[in-house]
Every structure is written in C-alpha cells, then in structure tokens.
Amino acid sequence: MIEKKIIEIAFHGRGGQTAITASQLLAEMAYESGFKDAIAIPIIGAERRGAPIQAFSKISRDTQIRSYSSVTDPDFILIFDTTLLMIPRVFATIKEGVILIINSNLKIYFNNNLPKNVKIYMVDATGISLKHELAIEGFPILNIPMLGAFAKVSGFYGLDIMEKVIKKKFGSRAEKNMKTARDAFEMVKEMI
Amino acid sequence: MSQKEQEIKFISGNVAAAYAARSAKVQVISAYPITPQTVVVEKLSEFVDSGDMPAQYIKVESEHSVMASLIGASIAGTRTFSATAGQGLLYMSEMVHWAAGTRLPIVMTIASRGIAPPWNIWADFTDVISQRDAGWLTAFASSHQEIYDGVLMAYKICENEEVLLPMFVAYGGFVLSHTFKPVIIEPDDKLEKFLPPLPDEKGWPHIFIDPERPMMHGNLIMPSGFYYEFRMKIHDEMMKSMHIIKQTALEFEKIFGRSYGNGLIQEYKMDDAEVALINIGGLALQAEQAVDELRQEGYKVGSVKLRHFRPFPTEEIINIAKKVDVIGVVDRDTAFGSPTGGAVSSECKSALHGTGIDTIILPIITGIGGREVSVEQQKEEFKKLIKLKETGELPKDMIHGTLWDGILEVK
C-alpha cells in the first residue's frame, strides 16, 4: 500500500489519553513483527492533563532509521480527540494521501476541506475503553484500542504481536487491554 | 541480575544508560533526579529494589552530594555511577573537579539540556562542555546503542591504571533520552570478557580507605609542594588516554561486533569526500542520512562523528583536514566570546594551527536549546560547504564568522 522506505505515523492526543505510550507501543509492535528498525519520538514540553500532545513513530522494513526529527509529512495520523481537529496546526498536517484514524462514535463533516485521497477510519476507542473499564481515575485509556484499529487498517502487525507486546508491558492488566484491542480491530470502519 | 542471553529491548536512551550501568556491574549509585535524566536513576532504583542489581543506591539531597558520595564510594574501591543534566551538573561542578583531582574512575551519563535562564530542558551540550576543564574524559553518544556501549567502554578506559580519571558519556536530552529504539543488551559471558574485573578490597592502585590504616587525602598543599605536578599529570594522562580509548574501541568491536571508528572519531563515507561535516551526538548519526541522500544526488560529501571532546583528537582532525578542502564543524553548544562561539569549532581551528594545511573550517552553531534540526537542514549545511569550496563564497548572514543555522531573525 505504501511505497516509502520509512513509514511515518503521527499521534495527536490530549495529556492523559496515552498518545505518547501509543507511539512507543506501535514502534515496538512493528519491530516485533519484523520491521528492521523503529523509533518512537514524543514531543515533550510542560504538558498537563488535557493539553494537546504530539508524538510520532517511524518504522522501516529494510533500512536503518537515523533521523531523530519530528514528522511533518505523516502517512498515518491517529486522532485521539476530535476537538484537536479544530486546531489549525493539527488540521494542516492532513495532506494528500494520508490515512486518518479518528477516535469518534459520530460521523465527522469536513465540508470538503480535506485534500485529495484522504482516507478516514473511525473507531469508538473511548466507548471500547469504558466498556472494558480500562480507565485511570475515570479517564479512559485509549492507546490499545487505537493501536488495535491501526493494526486492522495498516495490516503491519496482527493481534498476536499486540498480545505479545502488551503482555510484556502490562502484565496482569494485559487481558483487559487485549479485549479493547480485539474490539477495536473488529469495529474500526472506513467513513464514507 | 544475570543476563544469560543477548536480548534486544525496545527502550529509551535513558533506560539504555541504566541497563549499561547494570551490565557494567556498578556497585554504588548515588542519585538526585533532574529532567531529562531522571528515568536513568528511576530505572536503576527499580533494578536495585527488585534485587536485579546488587548495588548500593544512595538517595541524597542534591547533585553536589551525589558526586561527594560517589567520591567517597570510589575512594573505598568500588565501581560507581550516576547521571545528571543541565543545572544539576552545574550545581555538582565543585565535586566534579574534585573527582578528577582525586583520579577516580567514576562514570556519569549526561542527558544534556540547555542552561537556564530562560528555563530549558532540551538538547544542548553547553552543560557538559561547561565542565571542559575539570579533568573528565568526555564522550558523546549518537544513538541509543552507543549510550549503552559508550558506558561499557567508559569503565574499561577510566579504570585503566594508565588513566584513572572520571568520564562523562553525554547524549542529547529528549532527542535520545526520551525517544525509543531497539537496543542490544549483552550477556554476562561476553561482558566478562570485555570489562575489567571489579576492584578488590585494596581498591584503586593510588588511593584506598582502610579503617586499619587511616590516611588524609586532598588536603592543603603549599605552592612549593606537588600541586603543580599533580595538574601536569592529569593533562599528561588525559593525553595518553587517547591510545587506551583506541585500544578499547578495537577490543569492543572484536567482542561485540559493533564499530565506533577508532574510538575518538568515526568517519562516514570520507574516502572520496570533497567536503566534510563534523558533529557531536545524535546529529552525527542524522548527518549520515544527509550524506546518503546527497550522494544519490551526486554530491561527494562525508560525515565525521566526534566521539571524544576530551581528550581532543587533534591528530584525527588534522587527518580529516588533509582529505578535504572544507570542513563544517557543528556545535550544539555555545562558548560565548570564544573565537567561533562554539567549543568544538574553536578546538578544530586550533588543531590546524601551524600545520600548514589550508583547509577552510566553517563554524556552525545549531539546535541550541533543543531547536529541531532536520535532515533537510543538514543537507543545506553540506550544500553551503560545497558552495564555499567551489566559489569561495561564505554563507550569508554569518555572525562573527560563524553560521548560526536555524536561528530566527533577532531585532
């Protein structure tokens, strides 16, 4: 599907939604599934819960990744919170040919403002997380359902790889996380 | 504690530093947290707490006490480690000098960050460069793996009886400390082959604490005493450490299969290069990407990673200058009022003095306070060097003879 040597993924979330952890897990899952190299790059400032957060993953099938700089022209964008689409600098990263995965249970109207060939996938990551009671202090954890949706859309790794990495990272909480991964994998849909 | 098999872990640069201290069988860790280093000492506290690492972990009230306690621990004949950054290193400075003066092989990683004010926590090597004259060997790591490998090599170099000096292993804050990559963690049998044995109860050859045989150290010495001579010895052995560094890099490559050039510098596609860019830290690895892309466009460019700033590899810089007509020397640090404004470029210029080589050095300062440097920007730096070679034309908007690349317009 994508010809580029290094595939770049951008994450937009809010502090507490675990977008940064998602960028690390995605890179690790890609690496575990046989990609030659992967890097996770969080953009870290004086973040607080609720503030806009950015993170990136770069994954490569056959070359070493040597650049540490942030991603300006992503192949995939994962939007953890639809209100972030209203921030101009976030919206501006949606370029021709990009694949968007948005956490939402409602259809989004872009009013013909999108560039050409943008594919949009929707997944109700918040709903899935709440259903499986995957929340910290009442805040739903979104990283695993978003990565479950990404697995389905990209085909870069399967649920088996997700399970392997999640077990390593989350120990006793792995099963609960895997439930959200499987649900998101099933439920993610292209928005037409 | 034991690592039987080689393992590849997907970890941050900070966690790689902590694994290196564990692999090096460090016996005493003293810690005070500071961003962006904190994860190093957090991870080590987990290792010690879980029994994974049989080390003493000392929690102290400041960075000054971190180094003071490591000095005590090292004099007692133990392998010691800590990590710090930015303001923390500055606060520690008095003891940093004391550690080198006592000739203790302490190893400390620095997740370099900009110096305040204004407050800054992002990549900038001014913190570690500010300790330039303290008597510490100073190495830079350009990748997550090089952080791990660099710490292992550091113990082998520092504990050599011909060296016995402390060493910094520095890497850019956030650029390496908080990004994640696969890192090889080596097994015990290979580590045992490479690392020197832990010090025994007699400690280091020149100093040890023994309650049965009390001694004083570091006391007042009159101008007619040996203070002057002690200072000369530090310089003398720092200079001689260059061959130990080279030897260590060779041995490392033999055992682990990863090459770090000659230990002091690492060249990339320099054999037929017409211009070269010298970098420290992560930008050196990224410059290799720029080299490959430019070579596809037909430009003969090469890159040099300066692995050691102390001791400074004068001879290697001269050899680079013999190969190319123009060298760009990139500082991700500031040395206010120095000949170029950057520490590394000033030293490279001074290395060529009196050699009769007329290679032009273009000093470049970039990425200050974590300002992002892209591959594209580095390609432009190379193109400026090519233009300088072909037309003799310097880039526009130089500031006191230095290219401040990526700087915003200041009124």
Side-chain angles (χ1 to χ4, degrees), chain A residues 11 22 25-26 29 78 143-151 157 162:
Chain A
F11 299 76
L25 291 170
L26 188 151
M29 286 166 187
L78 275 61
N143 49 17
I144 302 302
M146 288 301 279
L147 294 178
F150 180 80
Y157 52 83
M162 285 195 77

Side-chain angles (χ1 to χ4, degrees), chain B residues 379-396:
Chain B
K379 282 167 75 177
E380 286 306 313
E381 288 170 3
F382 274 114
K383 285 183 182 171
K384 282 171 182 155
L385 301 180
I386 293 163
K387 191 173 179 192
L388 180 54
K389 174 185 152 59
E390 284 174 356
T391 66
E393 205 178 307
L394 285 163
K396 282 179 203 134

Side-chain angles (χ1 to χ4, degrees), chain A residues 13 31-32 39 44 47 74 90 97-98 111 118 128-129 152 158 162 165 173 175 178 180-181 186:
Chain A
Y31 184 72
E32 284 288 341
I39 185 169
I44 298 194
E47 267 88 32
V90 175
V98 128
N111 299 332
V118 171
I128 292 168
S129 173
K152 178 69 175 291
M162 285 195 77
V165 172
R173 287 177 294 128
E175 191 37 45
M178 270 316 290
T180 67
E186 292 299 321

Side-chain angles (χ1 to χ4, degrees), chain A residues 24 37 44 65-66 68 70, chain B residues 122 142 181 286 292 372:
Chain A
Q24 293 160 8
D37 202 2
I44 298 194
I65 298 171
R66 291 173 293 185
Y68 296 104
S70 58
Chain B
W122 295 276
S142 72
K181 281 208 87 170
Q286 213 181 255
D292 284 349
E372 187 161 307

Side-chain angles (χ1 to χ4, degrees), chain B residues 159-207:
Chain B
E159 292 179 7
N160 189 303
E161 284 187 22
E162 292 176 52
V163 180
L164 285 170
L165 282 167
M167 180 156 149
F168 296 121
V169 178
Y171 51 93
F174 294 99
V175 177
L176 269 95
S177 68
H178 283 63
T179 53
F180 281 63
K181 281 208 87 170
V183 178
I184 298 168
I185 307 298
E186 296 292 355
D188 287 341
D189 56 339
K190 272 190 181 178
L191 291 164
E192 236 160 75
K193 259 190 244 165
F194 177 73
L195 287 167
L198 285 166
D200 59 19
E201 69 279 0
K202 288 192 198 121
W204 311 116
H206 66 300
I207 191 166

